[in-house]
Amino acid sequence: MFLKKKRYIAILIITIVTALSLVLLKPLWLTQLTELEAERIRLITPTQVAPASLDRINREQLMADLRWLADAERQGRAPGTPGGIAAREWIAEQFAEIGLEPAGTEGFFHPYSVKEHFSFSRWLRGRNATIPGVENAANVLGLLPGTVPGLKPLVLTAHYDHLGMHGDTIFYGADDNASGVAAMLELARYLKANPLQHPVLFVALDSEEKGLQGAVALFRTELLHAEQLAFNINIDMLSRDTQQLLFAVGTYHHPWLLPLLDELQPQSAVKLLPAHDRPWYLAGNTQDWTLSSDHGVFHQAGVPFIYFGVADHADYHTPEDTAEKVDVMFYHQVVETVLSFLTLLDQHLAQRETRP
Ligand SMILES: [Zn+2]
């Protein structure tokens, strides 16, 4: 009896010492991992970039569309508000004018509502665990057929919602994510005239800011099925970075993308950085963006993805994220880079899919 008691005490002491040392040593260990990741990123930061010579995307149209979405009249495009509804109706009009096929459940629209609920996965990631309810939200979907029959669509996603109004203050959301939606429209215009081998499904998503609800609704309502999709390219925040850096997130999960990015860099006037997709036990306190925007939902559904976006800036999620702050030349070249990536991806996947 006495021996047994001693053993219990020993186990208890070992457990307490282990737990304490983990708590005390973890910051040091994480700091070292963060430094290793920073060193990895420093080593891959390209110093030589192409001149900003690509000009397939119409810069004036790109900026005009961004300004329309980030205008005060849109009142920050919160889901279900007059500004949010005006934005999605305008996007559907653009899709129709471009000549995309309606691919929602009601023409171009995919309406949905969400009840407020608790999310364990959000709680685990240290965020506000309650998913707020939204009423009268809707995604906008348009399809552009490809030139080769039988290929699964590439899905290009960009969320059009933002934070709306707080009192009298408008959160314009120019970079986040009028920039992604305006880019999507210009890419659709270009690709309509110069189609890829794959079909491209253009999806302007609602209520991303409320917990990626628009992307979740695509799969929850079975409008989309993961096994019927070839790939997801998500664009969210493209229009400004003081260091002219564009992050390419997803190569940790899909290393076959790295050679494509190596091929892309010499054509691109922005510095491409494959990062922000490693878990904390590999990258320390470096942020993991695997689930940070709508691509996370495609990833969890089993669809391979890449996410293009800039680093968070001082105006991120503030009323200062306005169209005037956009770096027009950088933004234009980012969209050109996404277009070049789409072309490379299309060729790569078509070869893979049609190989005997
Ligand atoms: Zn965003």
Side-chain angles (χ1 to χ4, degrees):
M1 196 63 197
F2 178 70
L3 265 178
K4 247 189 176 172
K5 210 176 187 180
K6 242 183 173 174
R7 199 187 297 162
Y8 281 131
I9 291 168
I11 290 170
L12 191 67
I13 289 170
I14 289 167
T15 311
I16 291 169
V17 169
T18 312
L20 268 177
S21 57
L22 269 178
V23 168
L24 293 173
L25 290 175
K26 200 180 164 194
L28 182 71
W29 175 38
L30 282 181
T31 310
Q32 283 166 349
L33 286 172
T34 311
E35 282 164 8
L36 278 177
E37 177 66 355
E39 179 65 6
R40 186 190 71 86
I41 291 173
R42 196 185 61 74
L43 286 173
I44 54 172
T45 303
T47 48
Q48 297 274 320
V49 293
S53 54
L54 289 172
D55 200 16
R56 299 160 294 186
I57 296 295
N58 182 329
R59 193 188 307 153
E60 282 70 41
Q61 187 67 55
L62 188 66
M63 283 307 296
D65 290 349
L66 180 145
R67 282 196 202 97
W68 193 93
L69 286 159
D71 192 88
E73 256 186 71
R74 252 45 75 200
Q75 299 187 324
R77 311 182 303 279
T81 63
I85 292 168
R88 75 182 180 228
E89 282 174 354
W90 179 81
I91 293 165
E93 276 167 34
Q94 305 307 308
F95 279 7
E97 246 172 63
I98 293 165
L100 303 184
E101 295 172 4
T105 48
E106 296 177 15
F108 288 105
F109 299 111
H110 171 235
Y112 63 90
S113 291
V114 178
K115 286 205 181 87
E116 183 177 285
H117 64 281
F118 175 79
S119 164
F120 186 63
S121 70
R122 261 165 91 84
W123 178 77
L124 270 183
R125 301 203 311 270
R127 298 182 181 207
N128 187 358
T130 313
I131 304 261
V134 293
E135 277 175 33
N136 200 8
N139 301 319
V140 192
L141 293 92
L143 182 73
L144 180 65
T147 57
V148 173
L151 295 181
K152 296 174 183 178
L154 310 174
V155 187
L156 182 70
T157 49
H159 75 89
Y160 70 88
D161 69 301
H162 192 59
L163 303 172
M165 309 258 301
H166 291 195
D168 290 337
T169 311
I170 302 172
F171 286 66
Y172 299 92
D175 186 42
D176 186 11
N177 184 31
S179 70
V181 177
M184 170 188 277
L185 293 174
E186 261 305 282
L187 289 166
R189 290 184 191 106
Y190 179 85
L191 293 174
K192 172 71 183 173
N194 306 275
L196 298 176
Q197 299 176 70
H198 288 80
V200 183
L201 180 61
F202 295 89
V203 188
L205 290 161
D206 203 353
S207 55
E208 186 270 355
E209 302 285 9
K210 294 191 179 289
L212 321 183
Q213 292 177 353
V216 169
L218 292 175
F219 293 101
R220 176 169 50 82
T221 62
E222 300 195 9
L223 177 60
L224 298 188
H225 297 266
E227 66 280 4
Q228 292 167 5
L229 309 172
F231 198 87
N232 171 232
I233 306 99
N234 186 36
I235 46 178
D236 187 358
M237 296 171 63
L238 302 179
S239 67
R240 48 188 290 196
D241 185 72
T242 49
Q243 296 178 70
Q244 311 282 291
L245 294 176
L246 180 68
F247 286 101
V249 176
T251 61
Y252 170 76
H253 305 283
H254 306 289
W256 59 268
L257 290 169
L258 281 168
L260 290 188
L261 293 178
D262 285 344
E263 219 176 311
L264 180 62
Q265 182 62 70
Q267 308 172 24
S268 172
V270 300
K271 294 176 192 167
L272 286 161
L273 280 188
H276 287 307
D277 48 13
R278 279 117 182 108
W280 63 269
Y281 50 82
L282 293 174
N285 294 313
T286 311
Q287 285 180 343
D288 181 0
W289 294 348
T290 302
L291 303 175
S292 73
S293 176
D294 297 306
H295 56 274
V297 177
F298 285 81
H299 175 60
Q300 285 177 324
V303 181
F305 77 98
I306 196 161
Y307 158 55
F308 290 108
V310 297
D312 290 352
H313 42 76
D315 299 329
Y316 170 74
H317 281 198
T318 77
E320 304 304 315
D321 178 10
T322 60
E324 289 69 45
K325 300 276 182 71
V326 166
D327 178 342
V328 181
M329 298 300 277
F330 171 73
Y331 177 36
H332 180 200
Q333 291 306 312
V334 165
V335 184
E336 293 285 353
T337 301
V338 174
L339 175 54
S340 299
F341 177 80
L342 281 168
T343 311
L344 286 170
L345 178 75
D346 179 54
Q347 289 162 358
H348 178 84
L349 290 180
Q351 265 173 18
R352 218 161 72 169
E353 282 168 64
T354 51
R355 208 178 290 150

